[in-house]
Amino acid sequence: MNEGKNNPRVPGVVLRQSEADRVVAGHPWVFERGIQRVEGELADGAVVAVKDGRQRFLGVGFFNGRSRIRLRMISHRNVAVDRAFFEERFREALALRTRWLPDARSFRLVNAESDFLSGLIVDKYEDVLVIQISSLGMEQRKDDILAALEAVLEPRAIVERNDIPSRRFEGLTETCGVVRGELAGEQVAFELNGLTFEADPLTGQKTGFYLDQQVNHRLVAEMVAHYPQGSVLDCFSSTGGFALHAARAGAGSVHCLDQSAEVLATAGRLAERNGLGDRLRYETVNVFDWLKARSAAPEGETAPELFDVVILDPPSFTRTRSALPDALRGYKEIHLRALRLLKPGGLLATFCCSHHVDARTFQDVILSAAFDVRRVLRRVATFTQSPDHPILPSVPETEYLKGFAFEVVR
Ligand code: SAH
């Protein structure tokens, strides 16, 4: 592509060669140190031409001199970033979901970097959309984004969930509300794998639900079905994603733990709504404390209740690489305790959503916990994020969720 080349009127950025290679490989972020030279006056939020040191055109991106991420690549072609551009990108994103999640009507439609739209997330709960904007370039084009979403999906309402602290790194304030259509402060009901769930787009966790687990909800439930009438412990339940799937798959009882009474109340309502109310129990607790109390059976006292299946789906224990050692201690602790609560032959389904802990490290932590409690594990499945959260290996930050299922051999 040579568009923009030698055009002195197009403001542009010239990259250092190592950075140019990263961009060619598909990485959308350029930090200050990656920029060799700026040509012309660059306004924050503007679309600028990006070139390598030999003046070869690499594409266009959003510039923001106030952000550590100076440049976010938007296209490898010289395109106008307008309503038509967003419409095309949204149609492509929709086609991807239709291919890989053919039965789903609720999913993440746009997952920022992994859909080549750095700074934009769009979740779809049936006919309600929730957007989250974390870059100035996207914020300045919000009207085009909303118009394009209306054209492609004809939603009943669009909510903006821009109450994320990271917006300040781009010079943006936090805001939240219904921006198109109407939503009477209601929970939005949606179907997932044939079960009814509810999202609370205005105040719920994330944009209302953990859509990235939707395939794993189904896969773990298929394994739970091998333990007919089995007992399941669902740690970090939230609104019951795993719990409801497990109950439908034939679990006799599912014990749900979460520190938020609100999400467990929703889980309870959903259990009733799905005709599974008699199987679920709920406890509002800190999982660390609960596991510690349950798994430490002092000499002479009755052994703790053991489960056929334990599910661990904690929040990320670290957002930074520097906090990794603490995070690993946290992961080890819950595994030590959870493994003590499993019957021989039982199943542990465990997840880690921290980008900084890779699958190998995560498994090492689990094995070290298993060694300490003298248990031997057989790995029977590996899990990743659902395909509506695409992974681009050339953009390592797009991969974060990993999980395993282990059978306790002894
Ligand atoms: N399993 C859920 C998603 C879990 S998200 C699903 O499939 O939909 C993580 C959950 O952990 C949140 O609901 C949060 O409230 C809860 N949580 C975070 N720290 C906790 C702790 N120490 N003890 C109990 N719950 C915790």
Side-chain angles (χ1 to χ4, degrees):
M1 290 291 154
N2 278 328
E3 302 105 321
K5 188 184 169 189
N6 298 332
N7 181 349
R9 282 168 304 155
V10 180
V13 169
V14 178
L15 304 186
R16 293 186 198 287
Q17 197 51 49
S18 56
E19 209 63 21
D21 290 346
R22 245 162 62 96
V23 165
V24 170
H27 207 295
W29 298 345
V30 179
F31 297 93
E32 185 182 9
R33 62 175 182 275
I35 295 179
Q36 192 174 73
R37 200 170 70 243
V38 164
E39 297 175 339
E41 281 290 311
L42 304 188
D44 287 342
V47 173
V48 300
V50 182
K51 302 173 207 169
D52 71 4
R54 287 194 268 168
Q55 288 290 312
R56 282 182 299 206
F57 180 79
L58 301 179
V60 294
F62 291 138
F63 178 81
N64 188 353
R66 278 182 286 181
S67 171
R68 239 166 46 83
I69 303 176
R70 285 296 154 95
L71 198 62
R72 293 171 187 262
M73 294 303 295
I74 285 296
S75 176
H76 290 272
R77 292 183 296 126
N78 192 12
V79 293
V81 182
D82 53 13
R83 177 181 155 169
F85 164 84
F86 286 113
E87 268 195 50
E88 190 186 327
R89 282 287 164 90
F90 296 158
R91 286 190 205 285
E92 285 168 11
L94 186 60
L96 193 79
R97 276 72 185 168
T98 308
R99 174 181 298 159
W100 297 110
L101 287 175
D103 300 323
R105 292 193 310 269
S106 297
F107 42 74
R108 177 154 291 188
L109 173 72
V110 174
N111 191 40
E113 282 73 24
S114 42
D115 285 293
F116 309 101
L117 289 167
S118 181
L120 178 66
I121 284 172
V122 182
D123 283 345
K124 174 180 181 307
Y125 297 103
E126 308 269 354
D127 56 357
V128 173
L129 303 178
V130 186
I131 67 164
Q132 197 160 70
I133 290 179
S134 58
S135 77
L136 179 66
M138 290 293 179
E139 181 73 26
Q140 289 179 352
R141 289 157 188 84
K142 192 156 75 183
D143 286 343
D144 282 339
I145 290 169
L146 293 174
L149 286 172
E150 290 195 299
V152 175
L153 288 148
E154 298 174 15
R156 167 162 66 101
I158 306 180
V159 171
E160 87 174 306
R161 202 49 208 278
N162 286 331
D163 51 349
I164 39 169
S166 63
R167 276 171 62 95
R168 71 172 186 276
F169 300 130
E170 292 269 322
L172 299 169
T173 54
E174 292 185 33
T175 160
C176 188
V178 179
V179 285
R180 290 287 185 279
E182 275 176 40
L183 202 67
E186 81 210 66
Q187 299 270 346
V188 176
F190 64 97
E191 196 210 277
L192 202 81
N193 302 319
L195 287 164
T196 302
F197 282 89
E198 286 173 9
D200 180 350
L202 283 165
T203 59
Q205 297 174 344
K206 279 202 165 180
T207 65
F209 190 79
Y210 294 85
L211 291 165
D212 54 355
Q213 288 284 29
Q214 62 174 299
V215 170
N216 299 330
H217 288 147
R218 185 166 51 73
L219 295 176
V220 170
E222 282 169 13
M223 302 182 118
V224 170
H226 298 312
Y227 298 80
Q229 290 301 311
S231 55
V232 176
L233 176 65
D234 182 22
C235 301
F236 310 96
S237 286
S238 187
T239 52
F242 284 105
L244 292 171
H245 282 80
R248 185 184 54 178
S253 69
V254 186
H255 199 93
C256 302
L257 307 179
D258 203 288
Q259 67 187 10
S260 159
E262 206 178 327
V263 294
L264 289 180
T266 305
R269 199 169 55 239
L270 290 172
E272 293 300 332
R273 197 168 170 168
N274 286 286
L276 300 165
D278 55 329
R279 316 276 181 81
L280 271 67
R281 291 177 280 157
Y282 317 89
E283 256 187 281
T284 308
V285 288
N286 181 322
V287 167
F288 282 87
D289 297 343
W290 192 95
L291 287 177
K292 191 171 177 183
R294 273 303 174 100
S295 60
E299 287 292 320
E301 288 192 14
T302 48
E305 176 192 359
L306 298 182
F307 295 89
D308 292 296
V309 178
V310 174
I311 299 165
L312 297 175
D313 184 25
S316 173
F317 290 159
T318 175
R319 304 248 170 244
T320 62
R321 192 163 289 284
S322 56
L324 194 57
D326 281 344
L328 296 182
R329 270 191 291 279
Y331 287 115
K332 179 157 179 187
E333 181 175 337
I334 54 172
H335 286 90
L336 275 173
R337 315 253 183 232
L339 285 168
R340 285 214 177 97
L341 293 179
L342 271 165
K343 294 179 189 169
L347 187 79
L348 172 71
T350 179
F351 296 89
C352 168
C353 62
S354 170
H355 160 67
H356 297 289
V357 180
D358 62 24
R360 171 54 59 113
T361 309
F362 184 49
Q363 178 169 276
D364 284 349
V365 167
I366 299 164
L367 289 187
S368 136
F371 178 84
D372 287 3
V373 295
R374 300 292 183 264
R375 306 214 97 166
V376 175
L377 303 178
R378 176 185 294 126
R379 196 174 74 205
V380 288
T382 61
F383 306 111
T384 183
Q385 60 220 50
S386 296
D388 52 339
H389 293 62
I391 296 169
L392 301 177
S394 57
V395 187
E397 294 82 356
T398 58
E399 182 169 12
Y400 65 99
L401 182 64
K402 71 269 333 166
F404 301 111
F406 292 104
E407 195 182 331
V408 176
V409 178
R410 57 177 162 79

